[in-house]
Amino acid sequence: MKAETTRTRVIEEGLQTLSQGGLAAVTIGRLAEATGLSKSGLFAHFRSREALELALLDETVRLAWRNVVEPAMRNPEGLPRLMALVGLWFGWSSRAGLRGGCPVAAAMFELDDTPGVVRDRVAELDEEWRRLLHAQVRQAIDLGHLHADTDADQVVWELRGIYLAHHSTMRFQRDPDADRRAQTALVALLQRCGADPANL
Amino acid sequence: MKAETTRTRVIEEGLQTLSQGGLAAVTIGRLAEATGLSKSGLFAHFRSREALELALLDETVRLAWRNVVEPAMRNPEGLPRLMALVGLWFGWSSRAGLRGGCPVAAAMFELDDTPGVVRDRVAELDEEWRRLLHAQVRQAIDLGHLHADTDADQVVWELRGIYLAHHSTMRFQRDPDADRRAQTALVALLQRCGADPANL
DNA sequence: ATTTAGTACGAACGGTCGTGCTATTTTGCA
DNA sequence: TGCAAAATAGCACGACCGTTCGTACTAAAT
């Protein structure tokens, strides 16, 4: 099964391209050249461009899980875990070794009017992520780390806003202040929900 | 000068395409077909694809100015004008007659790793917009509508986050709750800066 | 030892892309 | 009304797109 090696190489290379230039930049020709394969040789591994894109999304999930979710889950439930999760989330793609930005965020803006299987998958990932965030906020509320009347959905929504602002500040403006600004916004959001400032 | 008419028609059609599918979707062939021109006939108006893209960005600015900035400026200085500006900003593209999302927001995510004149222009627009927002926040502070120690840059940064979250909620998830969530976040942000709740 | 499956290649397909060059039509003015 | 100029069409180009095909070579299964 030498294919596994090759496939992995292709997907790793493709993930970098996806991260830097979005889905549109992942063409079979360029990917073949970058990996030293022929177009048809590479194509045989996926049998369609759509399948390649889905494979790349899957790999993105695995990467994010390893780099964000798993380490965050090692923290105690409630606010500490939420803080860890969000802290690992913001800017995770560079720490995961990607030379560009978050593939899912980019895909969301790229596909907002392009129906299809890939868009559907991205929507799924986004929803799963929101659910994960929601669960942590919920737990923080239940444990009394946040006000009982906190609107968890609103908190998740605003966290996404901070993430997107961080993403675009970092990747488009290339302003490293993004981290500080995001941290400030995060602390303000959680304090508004009654978090003890000492735990932020 | 029949050209003016035709050019206007092309740009209007192109703006819809740009709004719905991003810069990548604006191809000379498709645009020619949509306007009933020949590829070369349309091409003659702009002499390069880059020039066409820049022309579309210019038109976006004119549209945003008419639909967002001008009406907002008719409000009294300080917090009222800031509130009007932000209110007109969120979701402005649909109210301006575009069938898709904000062209600038989409371009920012599309071009984050693609250097060139177009990217530079988008960066300029983004910066000008932040300056405009900043000026309004600044004025609200000077007029005592917001706390004197308010960090105007931070406010602008978070406003952008709310805008992006609103944009993606509306256009990708197609969730009309976006308006309510954005309003909630906006009110919270301004209250944190000492705005009188009666004026929100 | 022979068949089978996996892996990769080169060539070619119909399309679309942006961009030139040269006609032809249409327009606005003397 | 005639004519120069402006506006548009027609056609061709090279490049790249995703995809298919036929064909090797290799490793595993029979």
Side-chain angles (χ1 to χ4, degrees):
Chain A
M1 291 291 167
K2 216 59 192 165
E4 278 316 302
T5 318
T6 308
R7 200 187 145 99
T8 301
R9 234 177 62 234
V10 170
I11 289 203
E12 245 155 56
E13 186 66 40
L15 211 50
Q16 295 291 351
T17 314
L18 170 58
S19 158
Q20 291 181 274
L23 283 166
V26 184
T27 77
I28 297 191
R30 268 200 286 260
L31 202 44
E33 187 170 16
T35 51
L37 286 184
S38 65
K39 264 176 48 168
S40 52
L42 188 148
F43 185 84
H45 280 277
F46 303 95
R47 297 191 315 281
S48 87
R49 162 144 190 203
E50 214 171 49
L52 165 62
E53 291 177 344
L54 292 177
L56 288 175
L57 287 180
D58 280 352
E59 182 59 22
T60 304
V61 170
R62 287 191 43 234
L63 204 62
W65 198 263
R66 255 206 325 274
N67 286 273
V68 181
V69 182
E70 271 180 9
M73 286 304 167
R74 287 197 281 271
N75 292 76
E77 294 184 347
L79 193 55
R81 185 176 289 180
L82 175 61
M83 286 295 290
L85 186 61
V86 173
L88 286 162
W89 178 29
F90 295 169
W92 75 274
S93 58
S94 5
R95 286 188 301 271
L98 295 178
R99 289 191 286 268
C102 170
V104 180
M108 275 181 24
F109 280 76
E110 195 173 348
L111 301 178
D112 53 5
D113 274 291
T114 312
V117 216
V118 180
R119 200 205 121 109
D120 292 347
R121 185 80 186 105
V122 173
E124 258 180 58
L125 297 186
D126 184 46
E127 200 187 327
E128 279 170 27
W129 178 254
R130 287 200 315 269
R131 263 205 295 271
L132 179 65
L133 279 174
H134 186 103
Q136 308 316 310
V137 175
R138 186 71 250 164
Q139 214 157 26
I141 297 172
D142 292 344
L143 291 173
H145 299 165
L146 298 177
H147 277 147
D149 63 354
T150 297
D151 180 347
D153 283 320
Q154 178 73 26
V155 173
V156 171
W157 193 90
E158 294 194 29
L159 284 176
R160 233 165 70 109
I162 301 175
Y163 179 70
L164 292 175
H166 180 273
H167 186 279
S168 98
T169 307
M170 208 63 167
R171 302 219 33 75
F172 188 71
Q173 305 174 235
R174 314 219 172 264
D175 182 352
D177 258 14
D179 287 331
R180 197 169 49 81
R181 301 247 95 110
Q183 189 62 26
T184 304
L186 173 64
V187 168
L189 171 59
L190 294 178
Q191 279 193 7
R192 183 175 120 217
C193 299
D196 181 353
N199 299 333
L200 307 173
Chain B
M1 291 294 168
K2 168 80 179 306
E4 278 315 305
T5 320
T6 308
R7 199 187 145 99
T8 301
R9 234 176 63 233
V10 170
I11 290 203
E12 245 156 55
E13 186 67 40
L15 210 51
Q16 295 291 350
T17 314
L18 171 58
S19 157
Q20 289 181 274
L23 282 166
V26 183
T27 77
I28 298 195
R30 268 199 286 260
L31 202 44
E33 187 170 14
T35 51
L37 285 183
S38 67
K39 260 175 64 166
S40 53
L42 187 148
F43 184 81
H45 280 278
F46 302 96
R47 299 195 319 281
S48 87
R49 161 142 192 204
E50 216 170 47
L52 166 61
E53 291 176 344
L54 293 176
L56 288 175
L57 287 180
D58 280 352
E59 182 60 22
T60 304
V61 170
R62 286 191 44 235
L63 204 63
W65 198 264
R66 255 205 325 274
N67 285 274
V68 181
V69 182
E70 271 181 9
M73 285 305 168
R74 286 197 282 270
N75 292 76
E77 293 184 349
L79 192 54
R81 184 175 291 180
L82 176 60
M83 287 296 288
L85 187 61
V86 173
L88 286 161
W89 178 28
F90 295 169
W92 75 275
S93 58
S94 3
R95 285 189 301 272
L98 294 178
R99 289 191 285 269
C102 170
V104 181
M108 275 180 25
F109 280 76
E110 195 173 349
L111 301 178
D112 52 5
D113 275 291
T114 312
V117 214
V118 181
R119 199 205 123 107
D120 293 346
R121 184 79 186 106
V122 173
E124 258 180 58
L125 297 185
D126 185 45
E127 201 187 325
E128 280 170 26
W129 178 254
R130 287 200 314 270
R131 264 206 294 271
L132 179 63
L133 280 175
H134 186 102
Q136 308 315 312
V137 175
R138 188 69 251 164
Q139 214 157 26
I141 297 171
D142 292 343
L143 291 173
H145 298 165
L146 297 178
H147 277 146
D149 63 353
T150 297
D151 180 347
D153 283 319
Q154 178 73 26
V155 173
V156 171
W157 194 90
E158 294 193 29
L159 284 176
R160 232 164 72 107
I162 300 175
Y163 179 70
L164 292 175
H166 179 274
H167 187 279
S168 98
T169 307
M170 209 62 169
R171 303 218 31 74
F172 187 72
Q173 304 175 235
R174 316 221 171 260
D175 182 352
D177 257 15
D179 287 331
R180 197 170 48 82
R181 302 247 94 111
Q183 188 62 25
T184 305
L186 173 64
V187 168
L189 171 60
L190 294 179
Q191 278 193 8
R192 181 175 121 218
C193 299
D196 180 353
N199 299 334
L200 308 174

